[in-house]
Amino acid sequence: QVQLVESGGGLVMSGGSLRLSCATSGTIFSLNAMAWYRQAPGKQRELVARITSDGRTNYADSVKGRFTISRDNAKNTVALQMYSLKPDDTAAYYCYGQGAFNSYWGQGTQVTVSS
């Protein structure tokens, strides 16, 4: 079955950068929209960034100007480049993909930003 696997999380100091990647496997059809969500302990899950198959993007207000989402349509991969990280960015980050019939979630990768 379809799998989404995130990588690239870790511990970084405030002001640092990280690049998250999401790889897919088992897809029968190309994914449509792909996105990154995040959830901090005790907080609601929130949409961080989204990108469609034709390259249209949208971002949460809190990350605009700092994060960039990109994708490779042929490989159904998506990345999130994060700059100027803040402690408030600390969360588990989840990759999301909308397939032809179903939606899929990755297992998450932890991003921790120290003060």
Side-chain angles (χ1 to χ4, degrees):
Q1 294 184 327
V2 172
Q3 293 187 94
L4 303 180
V5 181
E6 305 97 332
S7 63
L11 176 64
V12 64
M13 64 182 179
S14 182
S17 63
L18 285 172
R19 181 180 174 88
L20 306 183
S21 296
C22 176
T24 68
S25 64
T27 55
I28 304 301
F29 302 100
S30 296
L31 295 173
N32 302 124
M34 300 189 73
W36 288 94
Y37 288 79
R38 68 186 181 187
Q39 187 167 25
K43 302 292 180 62
Q44 291 276 76
R45 183 184 66 186
E46 66 171 336
L47 175 67
V48 177
R50 179 177 180 271
I51 185 167
T52 64
S53 60
D54 61 348
R56 290 176 287 122
T57 62
N58 59 283
Y59 297 88
D61 288 343
S62 60
V63 308
K64 286 181 179 177
R66 300 189 297 119
F67 292 9
T68 301
I69 188 170
S70 61
R71 68 181 291 169
D72 183 326
N73 289 338
K75 298 180 180 179
N76 280 330
T77 59
V78 63
L80 185 69
Q81 180 66 59
M82 306 184 293
Y83 296 105
S84 301
L85 284 162
K86 306 172 181 179
D88 284 349
D89 295 319
T90 296
Y93 284 70
Y94 296 89
C95 182
Y96 167 89
Q98 178 64 56
F101 304 104
N102 297 299
S103 58
Y104 306 95
W105 291 93
Q107 77 286 356
T109 186
Q110 180 67 36
V111 172
T112 302
V113 184
S114 62
S115 301

